[in-house]
């Protein structure tokens, strides 16, 4: 565009006024993320009491990953309808027709909401997209806490709790569908000089941007993209399985800590990554997740109460933070222009993570919790090693990671 400002990398910006309703955009996206949380963490903690109940959860995760891919073809309104249908289905009964609606329609709807809200917030906060997206996606974790609290206080009213969650989702996501919109192409807040921002020494040292803009086809030919997808598969599987395994132990306080820190840890990790670098914090997060599995395995073997509480803390801090870190690395490695097409492909690896999570949970519920958790530790530990070797595509190997 003729009026665009370009930085030293050649990236184009069109500075414009910051709309007065930008805070409303953020909070509507945050509330929408919280509204879909019961579909994943609520179901995993409250309804996976036997192995057969894991099948709908696995299908839901696959459909959620598919929904993130389809978000450019379907609207947030569709996400509101599908998400509400999934929650109401859980509230109306536990038979297979209702569980199928939850798994397929609820999964697709949650994927749409997750993808649209994350992309919209990142677009309206281009000067700090990673931090803002981390704050918003955190609600996808701790947004399930009210449902868990309800189930703990009134255990006989679980179906009513899901019905209430469905009504809340319809109202909140419906409002977001009405008001959320994307900024103009190349928009940048006129309160921040884009050229000075691009030359900021701290940004260049800790979170350097992409060397150039990659297309999806070009990104698929790099080594970084499959590594990021593999990290998401291993860590994503452990994160989901942990909720099922800890809930099966009956320690509801530990479940609440696990789910709450799963969300809160995302924002904390993104703040740390801006100071210490993305890959360093990602490696720490995955190490914490692996440590949590070892502590939980010790509890399963010995029955010590300290193990489950310490394990829930470590696994909670590591069990959600890798999602926004991987999303920010996609932006840092492949550029801003292609993020909307490249990140959904990486995020779709969560479908494989769901299948692995079901396998780990199935093994744990069959009476082999300790072996399942040791396998989970390996699933988180190997990506932690890979994270330290991540490198931006095109950067010479003589430049330190």
């Amino acid at each position: 565009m003729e009026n665009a400002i370009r930085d030293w990398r050649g990236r184009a910006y069109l500075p414009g006024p910051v709309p007065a309703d930008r805070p409303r955009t953020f909070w509507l996206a945050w509330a929408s993320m919280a509204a879909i949380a019961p579909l994943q963490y609520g179901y995993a903690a409250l309804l996976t009491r036997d192995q057969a109940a894991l099948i709908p959860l696995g299908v839901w995760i696959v459909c959620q990953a598919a929904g993130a891919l389809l978000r450019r073809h379907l609207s947030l309104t569709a996400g509101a309808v599908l998400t509400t249908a999934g929650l109401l289905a859980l509230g109306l009964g536990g038979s297979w027709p209702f569980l199928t609606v939850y798994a397929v329609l609820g999964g697709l709807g949650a994927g749409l909401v997750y993808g649209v809200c994350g992309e919209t917030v990142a677009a309206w906060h281009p000067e700090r997209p990673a931090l803002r997206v981390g704050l918003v996606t955190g609600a996808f974790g701790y947004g399930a806490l009210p449902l868990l609290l309800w189930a703990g206080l009134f255990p006989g009213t679980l179906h009513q709790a899901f019905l209430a969650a469905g009504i809340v989702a319809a109202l909140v996501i419906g409002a977001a569908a009405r008001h959320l919109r994307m900024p103009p192409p190349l928009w940048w807040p006129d309160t921040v000089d884009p050229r000075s921002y691009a030359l900021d020494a701290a940004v260049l040292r800790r979170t350097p941007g992409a060397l150039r803009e990659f297309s999806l086809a070009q990104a698929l030919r790099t080594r970084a993209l499959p590594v990021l997808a593999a990290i998401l598969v291993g860590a994503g599987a452990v994160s989901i399985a942990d909720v099922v395994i800890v809930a099966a132990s009956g320690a509801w306080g530990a479940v609440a800590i696990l789910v709450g820190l799963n969300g809160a840890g995302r924002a904390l990790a993104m703040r740390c990554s801006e100071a210490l670098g993305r890959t360093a914090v990602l490696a720490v997060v995955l190490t914490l997740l692996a440590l949590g599995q070892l502590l939980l395995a010790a509890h399963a073997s010995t029955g010590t109460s300290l193990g489950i509480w310490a394990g829930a803390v470590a696994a909670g801090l590591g069990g959600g933070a890798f999602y926004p870190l991987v999303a920010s690395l996609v932006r840092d490695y492949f550029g801003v222009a292609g993020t909307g097409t490249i990140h959904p492909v990486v995020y779709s690896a969560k479908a494989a993570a769901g299948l692995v999570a079901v396998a780990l949970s199935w093994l744990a519920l069959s009476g082999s919790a300790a072996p399942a958790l040791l396998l989970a530790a390996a699933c988180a530990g190997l990506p932690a090693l890979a994270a330290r070797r991540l490198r931006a595509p095109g950067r010479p190997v003589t430049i330190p990671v």
Side-chain angles (χ1 to χ4, degrees):
M1 297 186 181
E2 294 182 1
N3 298 327
I5 296 174
R6 294 188 179 274
D7 62 20
W8 65 279
R9 281 195 178 98
R11 180 184 170 186
Y13 307 82
L14 284 176
V18 177
D21 64 348
R22 187 167 73 157
R24 182 178 67 179
T25 296
F26 174 85
W27 289 112
L28 282 173
W30 177 88
S32 297
M33 287 286 194
I36 64 175
L39 285 164
Q40 177 167 296
Y41 296 106
Y43 180 92
L46 299 173
L47 296 177
T48 51
R49 301 302 177 89
D50 56 62
Q51 292 164 317
L54 294 171
I55 297 174
L57 177 63
V59 174
W60 184 91
I61 295 169
V62 171
C63 291
Q64 194 236 352
L69 280 172
L70 295 172
R71 74 175 191 263
R72 287 182 170 268
H73 304 283
L74 296 172
S75 66
L76 191 56
T77 301
V81 173
L82 295 173
T83 298
T84 301
L87 286 166
L88 293 181
L90 291 177
L92 292 173
S95 61
W96 281 106
F98 289 117
L99 291 177
T100 301
V101 171
Y102 152 75
V104 178
L105 300 187
L108 288 172
L112 283 170
V113 174
Y114 189 100
V116 171
C117 289
E119 184 177 5
T120 303
V121 168
W124 278 114
H125 298 271
E127 73 280 18
R128 299 190 78 182
L131 178 60
R132 292 293 179 174
V133 171
L135 289 169
V136 167
T137 59
F140 185 49
Y142 53 70
L145 284 177
L147 184 72
L148 298 180
L149 179 62
W150 184 326
L153 295 174
F154 311 104
T157 62
L158 183 56
H159 289 298
Q160 291 88 331
F162 276 110
L163 288 174
I167 295 171
V168 171
L171 295 174
V172 171
I173 305 173
R178 181 176 180 182
H179 295 289
L180 290 191
R181 68 188 191 284
M182 290 290 287
L186 306 180
W187 179 82
W188 183 268
D190 58 7
T191 55
V192 180
D193 180 14
R195 288 170 294 196
S196 299
Y197 177 87
L199 288 170
D200 187 281
V203 174
L204 291 173
R205 183 173 67 255
R206 296 162 185 162
T207 55
L211 298 180
R212 61 184 177 87
E213 297 289 339
F214 285 73
S215 66
L216 175 59
Q218 292 169 332
L220 288 170
R221 291 195 293 268
T222 67
R223 193 178 74 169
L225 189 143
V227 172
L228 289 171
I231 289 173
L232 200 147
V233 171
V238 175
S239 175
I240 297 163
D242 278 345
V243 179
V244 177
I245 295 171
V246 175
S249 72
W252 287 107
V255 176
I257 288 175
L258 177 67
V259 172
L261 290 178
N262 182 291
R266 304 183 191 213
L268 176 62
M270 296 317 298
R271 286 192 178 275
C272 292
S273 73
E274 292 192 347
L276 304 173
R278 308 274 193 236
T279 55
V281 174
L282 178 60
V284 171
V285 161
L286 294 172
T287 302
L288 275 174
L289 183 59
L291 174 62
Q293 309 317 299
L294 297 176
L295 292 169
L296 291 173
H299 164 76
S301 299
T302 64
T304 58
S305 59
L306 179 62
I308 194 167
W309 292 99
V313 171
L317 289 172
F322 62 87
Y323 281 113
L325 284 167
V326 167
S328 63
L329 283 171
V330 169
R331 188 180 297 106
D332 293 344
Y333 284 177
F334 304 114
V336 176
T339 300
T341 56
I342 298 172
H343 180 252
V345 172
V346 175
Y347 189 80
S348 67
K350 188 178 178 181
L355 301 179
V356 178
V358 168
L360 291 172
S361 302
W362 192 288
L363 178 61
L365 293 180
S366 67
S368 304
L373 287 163
L374 291 176
L375 285 174
C379 289
L382 292 176
L385 296 176
R388 294 297 300 173
R389 303 306 305 164
L390 279 169
R391 181 181 297 275
R395 182 176 298 173
V397 295
T398 53
I399 297 178
V401 175

